[in-house]
Amino acid sequence: MQGRFHYYEGYSMKEVTFPVRVFYELGIKKLFVSNAAGGMNPAFKVGDLMIITDHINLFPEHPLRGKNFPTGPRFPDMHETYDKNFIKEASAIAKEKGIRITYGVYVGVQGPTFETPAEYKMYRLLGGDAVGMSTVPEVIVAHHCGIKTFGMSVITDLGGFEEPVEVSHEEVQEAANKSQPLMTAIMREMIYRSEQLEGSKKKNRINSDKPTKAWK
């Protein structure tokens, strides 16, 4: 996908997450998501890449509300929403390529206003490291469908500190565009290694299926 549907644009949660349902029907097993986010972790800098380790859902409507789709249970477990193996692999790739990465909890809110200084502080107190207006609904539905998920945020602005910092959509876009090539490099390498691994597994399966001669 290029972009996504946002809840703040007026779409329902079913519309926002519909592409993920399509992915499931197409047989997609792995989903990589990215976003631009405001950072409230004091260790973060503008332009940092944050691997999402968990999220806090503060959207007013839950994407699984309503009749349960048969892709998953009525009450899905969310203990490992972001796949640990993906996180480990992305960390190793970033280290190999000399790319600075951070880790944190992503807070999903409806928007479209950027956060007030007090809201930034509240989200930080709740356990968040970055906040944005997307990602969480799609990830929840993907998890419900059994699709393994990896997520990464580009920290495009900072808030919640003693000195309030004004932010504009243009500044967010500029910061995201500068860091996107680094994020893309990590994800491309993850996809490449995944394809190599799947190819190796397929080859091993074919070899193991070959009949062996027990006589001459």
Side-chain angles (χ1 to χ4, degrees):
M1 291 179 61
Q2 292 291 329
R4 52 160 58 91
F5 300 104
H6 292 90
Y7 187 71
Y8 64 73
E9 295 177 281
Y11 296 105
S12 70
M13 276 298 178
K14 284 185 172 56
E15 291 172 318
V16 169
T17 58
F18 181 73
V20 180
R21 298 289 183 191
V22 175
F23 290 161
Y24 171 80
E25 295 297 334
L26 291 173
I28 297 299
K29 303 295 183 184
K30 303 169 185 176
L31 177 68
F32 290 1
V33 294
S34 64
N35 58 60
M40 52 259 190
N41 186 319
F44 288 178
K45 299 184 296 185
V46 171
D48 273 349
L49 298 178
M50 185 191 85
I51 292 177
I52 303 174
T53 58
D54 204 346
H55 71 231
I56 297 173
N57 180 21
L58 294 182
F59 281 90
E61 180 186 351
H62 198 283
L64 299 183
R65 179 178 178 270
K67 184 178 180 181
N68 185 49
F69 281 85
T71 58
R74 170 77 281 187
F75 304 104
D77 178 83
M78 300 294 289
H79 275 88
E80 192 180 337
T81 310
Y82 299 87
D83 189 80
K84 291 180 180 178
N85 290 327
F86 283 159
I87 293 173
K88 184 178 179 180
E89 186 175 39
S91 301
I93 292 170
K95 185 177 181 179
E96 291 170 13
K97 294 181 177 293
I99 299 174
R100 169 185 162 89
I101 54 170
T102 60
Y103 305 85
V105 176
Y106 178 87
V107 181
V109 297
Q110 69 170 334
T113 54
F114 289 115
E115 293 68 38
T116 67
E119 287 171 338
Y120 267 123
K121 291 178 181 178
M122 178 185 70
Y123 299 147
R124 180 63 178 159
L125 288 172
L126 288 175
D129 296 285
V131 57
M133 307 169 193
S134 65
T135 303
V136 171
E138 299 103 304
V139 169
I140 289 175
V141 170
H143 193 71
H144 184 255
C145 291
I147 299 174
K148 293 183 178 181
T149 306
F150 172 76
M152 187 175 284
S153 298
V154 177
I155 304 302
T156 54
D157 57 284
L158 300 170
F161 309 127
E162 292 302 321
E163 292 292 328
V165 180
E166 291 187 14
V167 61
S168 68
H169 180 66
E170 290 72 24
E171 290 171 328
V172 168
Q173 289 286 352
E174 182 180 357
N177 290 338
K178 287 181 178 179
S179 299
Q180 185 174 346
L182 299 177
M183 178 177 64
T184 301
I186 294 173
M187 289 189 172
R188 283 188 183 275
E189 184 63 22
M190 291 176 70
I191 294 169
Y192 172 76
R193 294 186 183 186
S194 177
E195 289 175 344
Q196 293 293 102
L197 181 61
E198 290 298 323
S200 177
K201 287 181 178 179
K202 185 177 181 181
K203 184 177 180 180
N204 289 336
R205 284 197 298 269
I206 292 173
N207 289 335
S208 65
D209 290 340
K210 288 182 178 179
T212 58
K213 289 187 177 180
W215 65 89
K216 292 184 179 180

